[in-house]
Amino acid sequence: MLYDLNLIDPYAQTGYLPRYLGFMAYDTLFSIDSKGNIAPQVADSWSLSPDKLVHTIKIRTGLKFHDGSPVTAADVAASVKRALQRNRFIHFASLVTSVDIVDDQTFSFTLSREFKILDYLANIHTPTFIMPKADAELPITQSISKVNGSGPFIFRHDLWKPGSRAIFDKNTAYSPRSEAPDFMSGGKHVNVDRVEWVYIADKRTAVSALKKGEIDWIVSVQPEYIADLKKSQGVEVAVFDDSGFDAVLRMNMTQPPFDNVKIRQAVMATVDQEEYLGLAIGDPEYYKVCASYLVCRSPWAVEMPGATLRKKDLPLARKLLKEGGYKGEKIVILDAQDIPSIHQYALITAQNLRSIGMNVEIRPTDQATLLTSRARRTPPTEGGWSIFHAASAGLTVDTIVKNHYLWMNPQRAFFGWPDNPEMEKLRIDFSFATDDKVAHEINRKFHELAWTYVPHIPIGNTFEASAYRTNIKGIIKSEVPTFWNLTKD
């Protein structure tokens, strides 16, 4: 795996590995198919009242958690409540006025106004993982300590070695759906007895192990190894997620100097996406310059006018830095050195900021540590941070509602904590817009404000290659690595 699994609660953070674990060990209420349509998973059937406020959901019979206990409507209802607290549509949790148990297999929830909530319950970035009621009702600030799902694989706590490997055994009691597999929906048939996630910090060692057949799959291959692997016998290289990833530079807006919009604008003026992507990714086949706050494959993407993000303007950057009253505050950049692209972004940013006279310190770390460090709101001189780089799957950031980087309520916003009530109102208005023309106008206004406010700086879109042994068949093309339905000859 790309980095170490150090947390097992799929809601504990926005990192990818706890979510990937979630898909292995838990089942979801709904999912989506290859066309983006909502598809049932634990749900068997559902209905909507004539006023479009009451959703009634019947769950499948015969489902069991890994400890053998049955999955009931009470478990699912509690799981929905937990998801509403952690999900990217947390702003809409208050719209759910009640959740009611009808019988052991049926529950309902009532909204205070019409809202396409199932679109968000079904999303694959922060899905509604079904867990026992006792786990789901833990305080949201308390992480789940033991994985007890009803999904296709059982997480082996006794064999988990943080920093080394995580092991999943086939859930022989799992009941897959009868439909054919379609993206993240349909039947999840497990054809292998065990899956081992092996963390190999040295990427060259991982590539060598794949070529020798010692491992079967590198989920994310670093760009410098792609050409070699393409020539290797018994190895296939493919891009499974053509929506790509959205790379960003995130600033801490609660601390000087990035609480000043002029200084955020100064940093933006130092960015040439081609420089970042060319040095970090290399092959243009695997990146795209995209001067938008949404991934460019999205129909809602609006690219910035002129040369912004396409060409540096260092004189402008120095001018904005002076106008912002920069006082030489230390800029601490978190540098996840075990992720080569993120590491390269950090080095480029440090050089660019030094070139305009900023006082920069690079703080070496690894990705797992960065994911916890970025939650600190303390000043950089007291263990806090100023900048980190990140990337999110394109499907998860393709609207201003889904894109967690664009939450503008500082109590609920993503790390960096922007605060812009006008933009937040537009975001909420967009989610309720039923007319496409109105929605596009709201989206355009939001982008125009974002270009000035600078909630983060888009670095561009990247496309991750996977490499796997040719005896592995049936891998589902998705940004989530799935281990059901595949076979190993």
Side-chain angles (χ1 to χ4, degrees):
M1 279 295 175
L2 191 61
Y3 59 90
D4 180 33
L5 175 71
N6 63 350
L7 290 171
I8 58 172
D9 185 338
Y11 292 125
Q13 58 171 230
T14 58
Y16 285 106
L17 288 192
R19 178 168 59 102
Y20 294 168
L21 178 149
F23 278 107
M24 295 283 281
Y26 295 95
D27 226 337
T28 59
L29 182 58
F30 293 97
S31 195
I32 55 175
D33 64 19
S34 56
K35 296 181 180 178
N37 299 314
I38 296 172
Q41 204 55 45
V42 166
D44 182 52
S45 61
W46 67 98
S47 61
L48 184 60
S49 63
D51 62 5
K52 299 183 178 181
L53 296 180
V54 181
H55 294 259
T56 301
I57 299 172
K58 184 178 179 62
I59 67 172
R60 293 196 289 143
T61 58
L63 302 181
K64 293 182 179 180
F65 291 111
H66 296 159
D67 65 1
S69 60
V71 178
T72 69
D75 299 309
V76 180
S79 298
V80 169
K81 290 180 181 178
R82 188 172 184 86
L84 284 169
Q85 294 178 72
R86 278 295 192 197
N87 221 323
R88 60 183 55 240
F89 58 97
I90 190 171
H91 301 280
F92 308 111
S94 62
L95 298 176
V96 180
T97 58
S98 69
V99 179
D100 303 295
I101 308 301
V102 178
D103 56 43
D104 280 351
Q105 301 302 125
T106 313
F107 74 101
S108 66
F109 56 86
T110 303
L111 305 177
S112 59
R113 62 179 293 187
E114 182 184 350
F115 174 57
K116 293 181 179 180
I117 195 169
L118 296 192
D119 289 348
Y120 296 92
L121 289 175
N123 85 86
I124 65 173
H125 188 264
T126 45
T128 308
F129 292 120
I130 304 306
M131 54 189 62
K133 183 172 182 286
D135 288 348
E137 289 183 341
L138 289 172
I140 200 62
T141 54
Q142 180 178 338
S143 292
I144 295 164
S145 60
K146 186 172 179 61
V147 177
N148 182 23
S150 64
F153 291 93
I154 297 172
F155 178 66
R156 292 292 303 271
H157 288 264
D158 56 325
L159 300 178
W160 177 34
K161 296 181 179 179
S164 176
R165 67 186 61 221
I167 294 177
F168 302 82
D169 284 344
K170 176 180 180 177
N171 179 10
T172 57
Y174 181 68
S175 177
R177 294 192 65 87
S178 60
E179 299 94 337
D182 184 4
F183 191 52
M184 298 300 290
S185 70
K188 299 177 181 179
H189 299 274
V190 179
N191 303 312
V192 295
D193 293 327
R194 173 169 285 184
V195 172
E196 295 189 14
W197 289 359
V198 182
Y199 172 58
I200 303 175
D202 184 78
K203 310 309 176 189
R204 187 181 299 276
T205 301
V207 168
S208 176
L210 180 69
K211 292 165 71 173
K212 293 176 182 177
E214 296 170 350
I215 61 175
D216 299 302
W217 186 5
I218 300 177
V219 171
S220 177
V221 178
Q222 299 307 313
E224 62 266 34
Y225 301 113
I226 292 174
D228 180 33
L229 286 171
K230 282 183 174 180
K231 295 183 293 185
S232 300
Q233 186 175 4
V235 174
E236 192 77 28
V237 178
V239 173
F240 288 142
D241 179 19
D242 59 8
S243 64
F245 283 75
D246 186 33
V248 303
L249 184 162
R250 191 74 171 179
M251 293 168 282
N252 185 347
M253 300 185 197
T254 68
Q255 301 293 334
F258 297 127
D259 56 346
N260 187 307
V261 66
K262 289 283 188 180
I263 297 178
R264 298 198 300 273
Q265 292 171 356
V267 177
M268 180 178 280
T270 71
V271 172
D272 178 342
Q273 288 189 347
E274 185 67 45
E275 175 187 40
Y276 279 84
L277 299 171
L279 289 173
I281 308 301
D283 189 341
E285 180 182 352
Y286 297 101
Y287 71 79
K288 176 183 175 60
V289 169
C290 176
S292 173
Y293 275 98
L294 300 175
V295 63
C296 271
R297 285 202 56 166
S298 168
W300 302 99
V302 182
E303 292 207 66
M304 298 183 190
T308 304
L309 300 183
R310 301 172 183 89
K311 185 178 180 181
K312 293 182 184 181
D313 190 340
L314 298 184
L316 174 61
R318 295 185 184 100
K319 177 176 179 290
L320 289 166
L321 199 64
K322 183 177 180 181
E323 290 176 359
Y326 177 63
K327 299 179 179 64
E329 295 96 339
K330 181 180 289 187
I331 308 300
V332 171
I333 300 176
L334 299 180
D335 176 12
Q337 297 189 335
D338 56 338
I339 308 293
S341 58
I342 299 295
H343 173 53
Q344 190 65 54
Y345 295 154
L347 296 180
I348 296 169
T349 296
Q351 179 58 36
N352 285 342
L353 298 192
R354 286 170 179 150
S355 73
I356 62 171
M358 300 191 84
N359 175 19
V360 177
E361 173 189 316
I362 292 182
R363 182 175 296 162
T365 183
D366 55 40
Q367 181 68 359
T369 305
L370 185 152
L371 293 176
T372 55
S373 298
R374 65 188 183 181
R376 297 173 184 156
R377 296 186 183 229
T378 53
T381 53
E382 299 175 17
W385 58 276
S386 308
I387 288 174
F388 71 87
H389 298 82
S392 292
L395 284 175
T396 70
V397 291
D398 58 357
T399 73
I400 61 175
V401 175
K402 290 166 62 178
N403 192 323
H404 53 295
Y405 300 125
L406 299 177
W407 297 353
M408 295 294 158
N409 180 330
Q411 281 70 50
R412 295 171 174 172
F414 190 68
F415 310 106
W417 307 284
D419 182 3
N420 190 307
E422 183 180 4
M423 292 175 69
E424 182 67 3
K425 182 178 185 304
L426 287 170
R427 223 173 57 79
I428 304 303
D429 290 346
F430 176 88
S431 68
F432 291 111
T434 56
D435 181 280
D436 272 357
K437 185 177 180 180
V438 172
H440 276 285
E441 180 60 20
I442 293 171
N443 182 66
R444 183 190 62 78
K445 288 180 180 178
F446 184 95
H447 274 80
E448 289 177 352
L449 289 172
W451 296 336
T452 301
Y453 180 72
V454 194
H456 64 267
I457 299 174
I459 298 300
N461 299 161
T462 64
F463 305 91
E464 288 193 347
S466 276
Y468 56 96
R469 301 293 302 179
T470 53
N471 63 331
I472 304 297
K473 310 291 185 183
I475 297 175
I476 294 171
K477 290 188 174 183
S478 168
E479 61 102 346
V480 176
T482 58
F483 297 87
W484 53 84
N485 297 319
L486 60 73
T487 59
K488 180 180 178 180
D489 298 336

